[in-house]
Amino acid sequence: MNITVLGTGYVGIVSAAVLADFGHNIWGLDIDPKRVENLKKGKSPIYEPGLEELLQKGLENQKLQFTTDYGQALEKTDIIFICVGTPQAESGEVELKYVYSAIEQIAKNLQNPSLIVLKSTVPPGIHLKLKEIMDQNTKVSYEFASTPEFLREGTAVSDTFNPDRIIIGTESEKAQNTLLEIHKGLPGKRLCTDIISAQMIKYASNSFLACKISFANAIARICDLLGANVLDVMQGIGMDNRIGEKFLSPGLGFGGSCFPKDIKGLYFLSKQAGYDFKLLDEVSEINDSQVAYYLTKTEKIIGNFADKNITILGLAFKPDTDDMRESRTIPLVNELLEKGAKITAYDPIATETAKVVFGDKIIYAKDKFEAIRDCDILILATDWNEFKNMDLVKIKQLMKGNIFVDGRNLYNPKDLKQFGFVYVGIGRI
Ligand code: UGA
């Protein structure tokens, strides 16, 4: 099939590369010329395991091409996947300017009857407004559909090849069959529904996962008060199939470009629609206060952070990505700097993106040992594999102090005590 993927962010590049791998002819379309030039050379603007190899394969097979030109991309296209960003506006509302301008350009350049598939996370029902823009600008026939994306950063390529489920929202059997056909080679369950419900599934999924994490963090705080071990508690509740064991790891909280934005987006949408979804407000509230919770706990031990040398291990919002968006390390670093601390940080991949956020306010080390040398306090902020089984004897020798703040609950407090550390975690005994 001839497909245009519009927007070459996380979802767009990965979808384009995977669809090309399935033998479709793909145009990756983006308004950013620099990004498109790099993509034409097989260079990905984001770090994502396996992505560059897949891009290069698509380019070599001539199944994948990139352009900034709507006319060129849409010349033979009959299916368009919209993958542009839908960030959060200051009001909390979903910012739709990229979607609107993409639709306007599509309408002006549409040449063949087309299926326009919304993959971006958009307010359920927005296609009704988008239809008005289309109708004002084109006479070519078109239809909207929606296939929300569930890939995770850091595992985006393997998630796209191995989805749990594919949600197909359409208004006609023809569109439904086209989308079933496009996804034919992929495993996973299929659910065919209407467009509004498909988009609601995306918001509800992300909000539910964020609820699980904040629930685990709230229980961890109660465990601290009562002397229970939150890891055992989470394992115990996760054994109930109705609950499930995933996304119950307490720590500094969730970040990234999706959960924080989508729970606020759904909260806002619900309010506009006439329902006050207070639960989501509380989920954000718990998440937003996790960093302060850790810092207050640490302050109780050390007095204050002024002039303390702090090492932060991990800056990205999660492992295997260089994405800093909404990373919990942003409030962590800012609050520590405000309290007068000096910060040295190390991240295996995200140093360059972190420099854009923190500039020269912190020192960037080349490896974890350089970062740790002579520090008073070590804060483990992102659960990269290389931080999971560190040589604790060596770390203790390199550090000046002995405070180990485990922001991802990776270590056993008893083990750390044996090596001479003072452990600061959450819900651990
Ligand atoms: C999330 C969803 O998991 C994807 O299904 C969805 O497609 C994506 O958002 C999106 O809407 O585009 P992602 O943001 O890449 O994916 O990352 P996750 O693996 O979900 O992690 C999000 C955050 O939650 C990270 O900061 C992670 O450290 C944190 N987390 C996760 C916890 O604090 N505890 C957990 O138990 C799990």
Side-chain angles (χ1 to χ4, degrees), residues 150-151 153 202 206 247-249 254-255 258-259 317-318:
F150 300 103
L151 62 81
E153 290 183 24
K202 170 71 188 193
N206 274 4
F247 277 68
L248 289 174
S249 299
F254 55 79
C258 305
F259 287 173
F317 87 94
K318 63 181 273 189

Side-chain angles (χ1 to χ4, degrees), residues 11 121 149-155 159 165 202 205-206 209 212-213 216-217 245-262 287 316-319 326-328 381-383 408:
V11 173
T121 304
E149 181 54 63
F150 300 103
L151 62 81
R152 292 162 300 172
E153 290 183 24
T155 50
D159 281 355
R165 82 292 210 190
K202 170 71 188 193
S205 297
N206 274 4
L209 291 169
K212 281 188 95 174
I213 300 169
N217 281 327
E245 65 194 8
K246 294 185 180 148
F247 277 68
L248 289 174
S249 299
L252 286 167
F254 55 79
S257 64
C258 305
F259 287 173
K261 162 180 85 85
D262 289 348
N287 198 53
F317 87 94
K318 63 181 273 189
E326 296 285 330
S327 173
R328 294 297 81 205
T382 313
D383 43 345
R408 293 291 159 193

Side-chain angles (χ1 to χ4, degrees), residues 73-114:
L74 299 185
E75 193 189 340
K76 291 188 182 146
T77 283
D78 33 36
I79 297 159
I80 304 163
F81 281 96
I82 309 279
C83 302
V84 297
T86 50
Q88 191 189 323
E90 275 198 13
S91 58
E93 225 172 332
V94 185
E95 173 63 83
L96 289 169
K97 64 181 177 195
Y98 303 114
V99 178
Y100 287 137
S101 86
I103 292 296
E104 207 179 303
Q105 286 304 318
I106 289 173
K108 289 181 178 158
N109 290 281
L110 201 64
Q111 298 171 47
N112 312 302
S114 293

Side-chain angles (χ1 to χ4, degrees), residues 354-366:
K355 281 182 183 167
V356 177
V357 180
F358 302 124
D360 56 9
K361 287 192 277 186
I362 64 172
I363 295 167
Y364 304 91
K366 283 192 206 69

